[in-house]
């Protein structure tokens, strides 16, 4: 019987403050995992479990999310968040890594690969956004706002609904038939864990969202030198954009994964990533 993967947690001191991270595995190539907004590395626990048997996996909470302190900037950029990830690599003694990023994490991962191309051996970008014009202004105005505490707890209800409705609509605040997702609401335990992580960063979580919305994927992806795998689950609201961006990568390809709620999702994801990592040149 296979032993369960032990995921450990820690903090590291960086110039901007403390960064919290999860890690597992004691052999193989180091793999850096960067989570989507909102939340933390708690969202990546299953991915950590899937890869820690043959890789050393490190999954930090990005600045201003989970238990990591926010950057000092009032409006951080994706490039600034990538610089914080580079500081994390230095603090952990990781000279070269494979990098995976999801949604906001994908933007940060891409910028890290641009910032230090000699430090990133392979890159997986899972769900890449590109917002422009009126659509960009709409998400900047409505998608992510701080949940400031109040004495009657109403902010907790709003925070819960914000997380819950991301399962049901895209964007979450456009609760219409046209914007409805068909992936269901997930299970209560995962929703609870997600809400708790967002609650920890109630007044800062939105800053990374806004940075990612403003990030121009079509202009930045051509600057990536390393081999890159673009991917998205079939029910990811960013799948169409991610597919279109394949042509902007000088050395990349797109692979579609099954729906997240499919029975074979984790197996298919592991197989796709393993195949990509094995063909590193």
């Amino acid at each position: 019987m296979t032993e369960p993967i032990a995921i450990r947690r820690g903090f590291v001191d960086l110039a901007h403050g403390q960064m919290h991270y999860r890690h597992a595995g004691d052999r193989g190539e180091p793999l850096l995992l960067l989570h989507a907004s909102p939340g933390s590395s708690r969202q990546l626990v299953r991915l950590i479990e899937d890869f820690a048997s043959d890789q050393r996996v490190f999954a930090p909470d990005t600045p201003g999310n989970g238990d990591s302190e926010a950057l000092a900037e009032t409006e951080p950029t994706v490039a600034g968040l990538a610089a914080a990830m580079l500081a994390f690599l230095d603090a952990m003694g990781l000279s070269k890594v494979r990098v995976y990023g999801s949604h906001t994490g994908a933007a940060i991962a891409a910028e890290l690969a641009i910032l230090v191309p000699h430090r990133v051996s392979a890159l997986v970008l899972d769900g890449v956004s590109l917002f422009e014009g009126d659509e960009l202004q709409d998400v900047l105005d409505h998608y992510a706002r701080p949940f400031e505490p109040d004495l009657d707890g109403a902010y907790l209800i709003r925070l819960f609904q914000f997380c819950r409705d991301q399962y049901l609509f895209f964007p979450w605040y456009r609760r219409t038939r046209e914007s409805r997702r068909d992936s269901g609401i997930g299970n209560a335990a995962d929703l609870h864990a997600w809400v708790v992580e967002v609650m920890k960063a109630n007044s800062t979580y939105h800053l990374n969202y806004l940075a990612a919305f403003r990030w121009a994927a079509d202009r930045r992806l051509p600057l990536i030198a390393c081999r890159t795998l673009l991917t998205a689950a079939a029910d990811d609201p960013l799948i169409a954009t991610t597919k279109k961006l394949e042509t902007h990568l000088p050395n990349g390809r797109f692979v579609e994964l099954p729906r997240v709620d499919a029975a074979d999702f984790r197996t298919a994801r592991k197989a796709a990533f393993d195949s990509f990592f094995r063909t590193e040149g």
Side-chain angles (χ1 to χ4, degrees):
M1 185 174 179
T2 304
E3 289 288 328
I5 297 295
I7 299 178
R8 304 190 182 281
R9 300 169 66 179
F11 286 88
V12 62
D13 292 321
L14 303 179
H16 79 272
Q18 287 199 315
M19 184 173 286
H20 171 259
Y21 64 97
R22 288 173 166 84
H23 64 108
D26 56 8
R27 62 180 181 273
E29 296 291 328
L31 173 63
L32 177 70
L33 305 180
L34 302 178
H35 63 86
S37 291
S40 72
S41 57
R42 168 63 179 75
Q43 295 160 252
L44 299 174
V45 163
R46 294 183 181 94
L47 193 61
I48 296 170
E49 292 172 342
D50 290 344
F51 283 89
S53 59
D54 52 17
Q55 298 187 64
R56 292 184 291 136
V57 183
F58 299 85
D61 297 352
T62 56
N65 284 278
D67 291 303
S68 289
E69 294 182 56
L71 300 182
E73 294 88 345
T74 56
E75 293 187 0
T77 63
V78 173
L81 294 166
M85 288 303 117
L86 176 58
F88 174 78
L89 295 184
D90 290 343
M92 301 302 295
L94 301 172
S95 59
K96 197 165 190 177
V97 293
R98 296 164 172 171
V99 183
Y100 163 92
S102 172
H103 289 215
T104 298
I108 299 170
E111 281 297 327
L112 179 63
I114 295 168
L115 178 64
V116 283
H118 59 291
R119 303 276 298 267
V120 177
S121 61
L123 183 64
V124 179
L125 304 179
D126 187 354
V128 183
S129 65
L130 178 61
F131 295 102
E132 299 175 296
D134 292 342
E135 185 183 24
L136 172 58
Q137 193 60 53
D138 186 61
V139 294
L140 289 174
D141 288 344
H142 300 108
Y143 204 100
R145 295 176 178 174
F147 293 101
E148 299 298 346
D150 54 56
L151 292 176
D152 58 7
Y155 80 105
L156 298 174
I157 299 298
R158 293 194 300 273
L159 191 156
F160 174 84
Q161 292 172 338
F162 165 70
C163 292
R164 181 200 61 193
D165 287 358
Q166 290 195 50
Y167 286 101
L168 304 176
F169 303 97
F170 184 79
W172 69 270
Y173 53 86
R174 197 174 296 152
R175 301 178 178 94
T176 65
R177 183 182 299 275
E178 293 75 22
S179 297
R180 187 172 61 192
R181 301 182 64 188
D182 68 349
S183 51
I185 202 168
N187 66 66
D190 282 343
L191 178 56
H192 165 77
W194 195 19
V195 168
V196 169
E197 294 303 299
V198 177
M199 196 183 304
K200 292 177 181 178
N202 63 296
S203 62
T204 57
Y205 83 92
H206 65 295
L207 299 174
N208 293 4
Y209 254 138
L210 300 180
F213 292 153
R214 294 186 176 103
W215 187 70
D218 55 342
R219 297 201 297 270
R220 302 304 291 169
L221 292 182
L223 303 178
I224 297 173
C226 68
R227 293 179 58 258
T228 305
L229 178 67
L230 276 178
T231 189
D235 57 341
D236 188 327
L238 298 181
I239 187 171
T241 301
T242 306
K243 284 181 179 178
K244 290 178 182 178
L245 288 169
E246 180 183 17
T247 59
H248 291 77
L249 284 168
N251 189 15
R253 60 188 176 90
F254 174 81
V255 171
E256 181 173 329
L257 297 175
R259 294 171 55 95
V260 172
D261 56 3
D264 64 339
F265 172 74
R266 288 177 68 176
T267 302
R269 179 176 63 182
K270 181 74 161 60
F273 292 7
D274 281 345
S275 175
F276 172 67
F277 290 144
R278 277 198 303 271
T279 56
E280 286 180 33

